[in-house]
Amino acid sequence: MFRVLYCGICHSDLHSIKNEWGFSTYPLVPGHEIVGVVTEVGSKVKKFKVGDRVGVGGLVGSCLSCDNCINNLESYCPTYVLTYGATYYDGTTTYGGYSDIMVASEHFVVRMPDNLPLDAAAPLLCAGITVYSPLKYFGLDKPGVHVGVVGLGGLGHVAVKFAKAFGAKVTVISTSPNKKDEAIQRLGADSFLVSHDPDQMQAAMGTMDGIIDTVSAFHPLQPLLGLVKTNGKLVMVGAPDKPLELPVFSIIMGRKMVAGSGGGGMKEMQEMIDFAAEHNITADIEVIPMDYVNTAMERLVKADIRYRFVIDIANTLKAAQN
């Protein structure tokens, strides 16, 4: 058991609250970017002790015996249990990190290095692993590889940071021209494309080894596929609530790949956190009190955040209750 200090707000929290994916159950307590300090451990716990800094991401359970689990891919287990809005193996409902206490199996808890500030590290438990895992799996973690990042939001800004830490050349692709300075000067991207500018898109055709697409709204894939080289990869990590059109001809003629990635397993989660600590990677955040959450959700709909809300649970949840 640990005392929750901070919890990030993920765009999937908004989808879940509104039941936009069609499988939400209520009452719902969101939150799967949860960090805090251990206050109590069970008699069989080996990895953690009272006082340890820890975190929990999107999963709190899996069978631990299927091929995926054996290969450290718990996030692809057929019976995985989400951190909130799911049914645990004992029949109880799971509740997330918009709360003051979290209880989880030690297998699904990661150790947070001392040099990572917990508030700014919290979003890495979702946004971080969501982009780190496909960068690694699809070979986009090599120096000199050209990586495109579509969308400069909660996922996208972290993708830029990880890709640059791997030594990649990074191009941000956005609908918002006003994000160019932010992308290049502050986040360190090498170049910037406005996706609705045909001249810019034409000039960049066939230049990228792979693209991480973080956009969770409906958008065309055809222009993005044009940017990747032969054998290039377009990896989807955003989750639009409506189906996207798949331009098959472009895939065939370029032997290109459209793929998806649903995060990583617990071994990779700890690897990601340790890598972030080594390279001083954190999310850019706005810390908010608990009673601001509804307003934060309204701002999230309008993308009015750079780039992740984090709730100060420890200092404001109790105050909100009184």
Side-chain angles (χ1 to χ4, degrees):
M1 181 170 74
F2 66 91
R3 181 167 65 97
V4 178
L5 300 181
Y6 299 98
C7 184
I9 295 180
C10 176
H11 207 283
S12 61
D13 295 347
L14 183 61
H15 285 303
S16 298
I17 290 167
K18 295 186 173 185
N19 195 27
E20 290 177 343
W21 290 331
F23 52 76
S24 297
T25 57
Y26 304 98
L28 183 78
V29 178
H32 58 206
E33 300 175 350
I34 315 163
V35 292
V37 176
V38 175
T39 56
E40 189 176 345
V41 296
S43 60
K44 297 181 180 180
V45 171
K46 305 296 183 185
K47 291 169 55 180
F48 302 101
K49 65 182 186 303
V50 172
D52 284 349
R53 292 156 43 103
V54 295
V56 168
L59 295 180
V60 292
S62 72
C63 75
L64 302 181
S65 60
C66 68
D67 286 345
N68 285 333
C69 287
I70 291 170
N71 288 294
N72 300 306
L73 293 170
E74 295 92 339
S75 57
Y76 300 103
C77 173
T79 61
Y80 68 73
V81 181
L82 295 174
T83 299
Y84 68 83
T87 301
Y88 200 68
Y89 299 116
D90 62 1
T92 58
T93 299
T94 60
Y95 297 109
Y98 296 18
S99 55
D100 56 352
I101 295 293
M102 185 74 190
V103 180
S105 164
E106 67 174 337
H107 184 85
F108 296 93
V109 178
V110 296
R111 185 178 303 278
M112 303 300 290
D114 289 340
N115 67 313
L116 275 182
L118 287 180
D119 53 358
L124 299 181
L125 296 167
C126 174
I129 192 63
T130 296
V131 298
Y132 179 93
S133 185
L135 286 169
K136 295 280 288 187
Y137 180 78
F138 291 102
L140 302 176
D141 60 337
K142 309 294 189 296
V145 167
H146 189 178
V147 177
V149 175
V150 185
L152 196 62
L155 292 176
H157 89 288
V158 176
V160 172
K161 293 184 180 187
F162 275 113
K164 287 301 296 181
F166 287 134
K169 176 184 178 182
V170 179
T171 296
V172 171
I173 306 154
S174 174
T175 59
S176 304
N178 60 355
K179 290 187 177 181
K180 180 177 180 178
D181 288 346
E182 176 84 2
I184 294 175
Q185 296 179 11
R186 204 169 74 79
L187 296 176
D190 298 281
S191 55
F192 184 91
L193 291 177
V194 179
S195 58
H196 54 75
D197 184 318
D199 293 336
Q200 290 188 25
M201 295 294 282
Q202 179 66 34
M205 282 188 68
T207 61
M208 300 178 192
D209 297 286
I211 292 176
I212 304 295
D213 187 343
T214 72
V215 175
S216 58
F218 183 86
H219 61 288
L221 300 184
Q222 178 77 49
L224 302 177
L225 282 167
L227 297 175
V228 298
K229 301 174 182 177
T230 300
N231 301 322
K233 311 165 185 79
L234 173 58
V235 186
M236 314 299 296
V237 297
D241 57 359
K242 296 178 182 178
L244 304 182
E245 295 181 0
L246 186 65
V248 175
F249 191 75
S250 295
I251 298 170
I252 293 172
M253 297 309 294
R255 198 164 69 174
K256 299 176 182 181
M257 176 190 300
V258 177
S261 180
M266 297 311 302
K267 180 179 179 181
E268 190 172 45
M269 177 81 90
Q270 187 67 64
E271 175 190 301
M272 178 274 301
I273 287 292
D274 293 341
F275 182 90
E278 181 182 351
H279 293 85
N280 297 312
I281 296 173
T282 56
D284 293 4
I285 62 170
E286 179 179 332
V287 178
I288 61 170
M290 192 63 164
D291 60 8
Y292 190 79
V293 167
N294 287 341
T295 302
M297 292 296 176
E298 294 170 2
R299 288 178 55 190
L300 191 58
V301 171
K302 297 181 288 187
D304 178 25
I305 173 63
R306 291 193 176 180
Y307 286 97
R308 209 68 159 184
F309 289 113
V310 173
I311 309 168
D312 182 354
I313 299 290
N315 292 313
T316 66
L317 177 58
K318 184 176 181 180
Q321 291 173 336
N322 288 341

